[in-house]
Amino acid sequence: TASFLRAVFNKERGFVPEGGLLAQATVLEFRQEQRLLIISDCAINIAPGYEDKKKIIANAVVLANKLGINIPKVAVITPLEVVNPNMPETIEAAMLSKAWERGQLKGCIVDGPLGLDNAISAEAARHKGINSPVAGCPNILIMPNLAAGNIFTKSLTYFAELNSSGNVIGTRIPIVMTSRSDTPENK
């Protein structure tokens, strides 16, 4: 991965636009609902902050559009669905949701903070009293950090056996990035 990304980041011949932010996005085939699910960032940005997450969302929206999802629903995932001042990721998620409400994030619908349960399950969201246009039907999950994203996507690949594709987003050209341990089907 390091050698591969070194070529992508090459100043003279690389694929990173000026001022851009590369991220990794895993596209999963969510078979039980007959749709694709994009999860970002799972392999490049270790601890993205608010401004980074705005760029990651914008890049993930471009990928979703290329996959035929016109106005993707973006769930900003955190350990819980309320703002907790001791958990910066919940504050950033609320800020991202507010930025969307004010038109600062385009071409998508953003909500957060959302716990994974109420992001994925409309029933879980109803049970917790969450009224959200994203809960239960997200197209994109924005993870709080690389560790959470990486562990979650590998869990889906190995335990749930979902087909996946690792992609680099935010580049001038589409880039698929496989893992050495990917199955032949995923590669």
Side-chain angles (χ1 to χ4, degrees), residues 1-11 14-16 22-24 41 43-45 146 167-169 171 175-178:
T1 302
S3 299
F4 180 81
L5 288 177
R6 211 173 353 269
V8 172
F9 282 109
N10 181 290
K11 297 273 188 227
F15 305 108
V16 183
L22 294 190
Q24 188 274 354
D41 181 332
I44 295 177
N45 295 288
L146 184 145
N167 305 274
V168 179
I169 57 175
T171 55
I175 296 178
V176 174
M177 181 174 69
T178 60

Coordinates of all heavy atoms in Angstrom, one line a residue, residues 1-11 14-16 22-24 41 43-45 146 167-169 171 175-178:
T1 N 0.8 -1.2 0.0 CA 0.0 0.0 0.0 C 0.9 1.3 0.0 O 0.6 2.2 -0.7 CB -0.9 0.0 1.2 OG1 -1.8 -1.2 1.2 CG2 -1.8 1.2 1.2
A2 N 1.9 1.3 0.8 CA 2.8 2.4 0.9 C 3.4 2.7 -0.5 O 3.4 3.9 -0.9 CB 3.9 2.2 1.9
S3 N 3.9 1.7 -1.2 CA 4.5 1.9 -2.5 C 3.5 2.4 -3.5 O 3.7 3.3 -4.3 CB 5.2 0.6 -3.0 OG 6.2 0.2 -2.2
F4 N 2.3 1.8 -3.5 CA 1.2 2.2 -4.4 C 0.9 3.7 -4.1 O 0.8 4.5 -5.1 CB 0.0 1.3 -4.1 CG -1.2 1.6 -4.9 CD1 -1.3 1.1 -6.2 CD2 -2.2 2.3 -4.4 CE1 -2.4 1.3 -7.0 CE2 -3.4 2.6 -5.2 CZ -3.4 2.1 -6.5
L5 N 0.7 4.1 -2.9 CA 0.3 5.5 -2.6 C 1.4 6.5 -2.9 O 1.1 7.6 -3.2 CB -0.2 5.6 -1.1 CG -1.6 4.9 -0.9 CD1 -1.9 5.0 0.6 CD2 -2.7 5.6 -1.7
R6 N 2.7 6.0 -2.8 CA 3.8 6.9 -3.1 C 3.7 7.4 -4.5 O 3.9 8.6 -4.8 CB 5.1 6.2 -2.8 CG 6.2 7.1 -2.4 CD 7.5 6.5 -2.0 NE 7.6 5.0 -1.9 CZ 7.3 4.4 -0.7 NH1 7.0 5.0 0.4 NH2 7.5 3.0 -0.7
A7 N 3.3 6.5 -5.4 CA 3.1 6.9 -6.8 C 1.9 7.8 -7.0 O 1.9 8.8 -7.8 CB 2.9 5.6 -7.7
V8 N 0.8 7.6 -6.3 CA -0.4 8.4 -6.3 C 0.0 9.8 -5.9 O -0.5 10.8 -6.5 CB -1.5 7.8 -5.5 CG1 -2.7 8.8 -5.4 CG2 -2.0 6.5 -6.1
F9 N 0.8 9.9 -4.8 CA 1.1 11.3 -4.2 C 2.3 11.9 -4.9 O 2.6 13.1 -4.6 CB 1.5 11.1 -2.7 CG 0.3 11.0 -1.9 CD1 0.0 9.8 -1.2 CD2 -0.5 12.0 -1.6 CE1 -1.1 9.6 -0.4 CE2 -1.6 11.9 -0.8 CZ -1.9 10.7 -0.2
N10 N 2.9 11.3 -5.9 CA 4.1 11.9 -6.6 C 3.8 13.3 -7.1 O 2.8 13.5 -7.7 CB 4.5 11.0 -7.8 CG 5.7 11.5 -8.5 OD1 5.6 12.5 -9.2 ND2 6.8 10.7 -8.4
K11 N 4.7 14.2 -6.7 CA 4.4 15.7 -7.0 C 4.4 15.9 -8.5 O 3.6 16.8 -8.9 CB 5.5 16.5 -6.3 CG 5.5 16.4 -4.8 CD 4.6 17.4 -4.2 CE 4.8 17.5 -2.7 NZ 3.6 17.4 -2.0
G14 N 1.7 12.5 -10.0 CA 0.7 12.0 -9.2 C -0.7 12.4 -9.6 O -0.9 13.1 -10.6
F15 N -1.7 12.0 -8.8 CA -3.1 12.2 -9.1 C -3.9 13.0 -8.1 O -5.1 13.0 -8.1 CB -3.7 10.8 -9.3 CG -3.0 9.9 -10.3 CD1 -2.3 8.8 -9.9 CD2 -3.1 10.2 -11.6 CE1 -1.6 8.0 -10.8 CE2 -2.4 9.4 -12.5 CZ -1.7 8.3 -12.1
V16 N -3.1 13.7 -7.3 CA -3.8 14.5 -6.2 C -4.0 16.0 -6.7 O -3.0 16.6 -7.0 CB -3.0 14.5 -4.9 CG1 -3.7 15.3 -3.8 CG2 -2.7 13.1 -4.5
L22 N -6.9 13.1 -0.2 CA -7.2 11.8 -0.6 C -7.8 11.0 0.6 O -7.4 11.3 1.7 CB -5.9 11.0 -1.1 CG -5.3 11.5 -2.3 CD1 -4.2 10.5 -2.7 CD2 -6.3 11.7 -3.5
A23 N -8.6 10.1 0.3 CA -9.2 9.3 1.3 C -9.4 7.9 0.7 O -9.4 7.7 -0.5 CB -10.5 9.8 1.9
Q24 N -9.7 6.9 1.6 CA -10.0 5.6 1.1 C -11.5 5.4 1.3 O -12.1 5.9 2.3 CB -9.2 4.6 1.9 CG -9.3 3.1 1.4 CD -10.5 2.4 2.0 OE1 -11.2 2.9 2.8 NE2 -10.8 1.2 1.5
D41 N -13.3 7.0 6.1 CA -12.1 6.6 5.5 C -11.6 5.4 6.4 O -11.5 5.4 7.6 CB -11.1 7.7 5.6 CG -9.7 7.4 5.0 OD1 -9.3 6.3 5.0 OD2 -9.1 8.3 4.5
A43 N -8.5 3.6 5.5 CA -7.1 3.2 5.3 C -6.1 4.3 5.0 O -4.9 4.0 4.9 CB -7.0 2.2 4.1
I44 N -6.5 5.6 5.0 CA -5.5 6.6 4.6 C -5.4 7.7 5.7 O -4.4 7.9 6.3 CB -5.8 7.3 3.3 CG1 -5.6 6.3 2.1 CG2 -4.9 8.5 3.0 CD1 -6.0 6.8 0.8
N45 N -6.5 8.3 6.1 CA -6.5 9.4 7.1 C -6.7 8.9 8.5 O -7.8 8.4 8.8 CB -7.6 10.5 6.7 CG -7.3 11.1 5.4 OD1 -6.4 11.9 5.3 ND2 -8.0 10.8 4.4
L146 N -9.7 6.2 11.3 CA -9.2 5.1 10.5 C -9.4 3.8 11.3 O -9.8 2.8 10.7 CB -7.8 5.3 10.1 CG -7.2 4.2 9.2 CD1 -6.2 4.9 8.3 CD2 -6.5 3.1 10.0
N167 N -11.2 1.7 -2.6 CA -10.9 2.8 -3.6 C -10.3 4.0 -3.0 O -10.5 4.2 -1.8 CB -12.3 3.2 -4.2 CG -13.1 2.1 -4.7 OD1 -12.9 1.7 -5.9 ND2 -13.9 1.5 -3.9
V168 N -9.5 4.7 -3.8 CA -8.9 5.9 -3.3 C -9.8 7.0 -3.9 O -10.0 7.0 -5.2 CB -7.4 6.1 -3.8 CG1 -6.9 7.4 -3.3 CG2 -6.6 4.9 -3.2
I169 N -10.3 7.9 -3.1 CA -11.1 9.0 -3.6 C -10.5 10.3 -3.4 O -9.6 10.5 -2.6 CB -12.5 9.0 -2.9 CG1 -12.4 9.0 -1.4 CG2 -13.3 7.7 -3.3 CD1 -13.8 9.1 -0.7
T171 N -9.0 11.8 -6.0 CA -8.0 11.8 -7.1 C -8.6 12.4 -8.4 O -9.8 12.4 -8.5 CB -7.4 10.4 -7.3 OG1 -8.5 9.5 -7.6 CG2 -6.7 9.9 -6.1
I175 N -9.3 5.3 -8.8 CA -8.2 4.4 -8.4 C -8.8 3.3 -7.5 O -9.5 3.7 -6.5 CB -7.1 5.2 -7.6 CG1 -6.4 6.2 -8.5 CG2 -6.1 4.2 -7.0 CD1 -5.3 7.0 -7.8
V176 N -8.6 2.1 -7.8 CA -9.0 1.0 -7.0 C -7.8 0.5 -6.3 O -6.7 0.3 -6.9 CB -9.6 -0.2 -7.9 CG1 -9.9 -1.4 -7.0 CG2 -10.9 0.3 -8.6
M177 N -7.9 0.3 -5.0 CA -6.7 -0.1 -4.2 C -7.1 -1.4 -3.4 O -7.9 -1.3 -2.5 CB -6.3 1.0 -3.2 CG -5.1 0.7 -2.3 SD -4.6 2.0 -1.3 CE -5.9 2.2 -0.1
T178 N -6.5 -2.5 -3.8 CA -6.8 -3.7 -3.2 C -5.9 -4.0 -2.0 O -4.8 -3.4 -1.9 CB -6.7 -4.9 -4.1 OG1 -5.4 -5.0 -4.6 CG2 -7.7 -4.8 -5.3

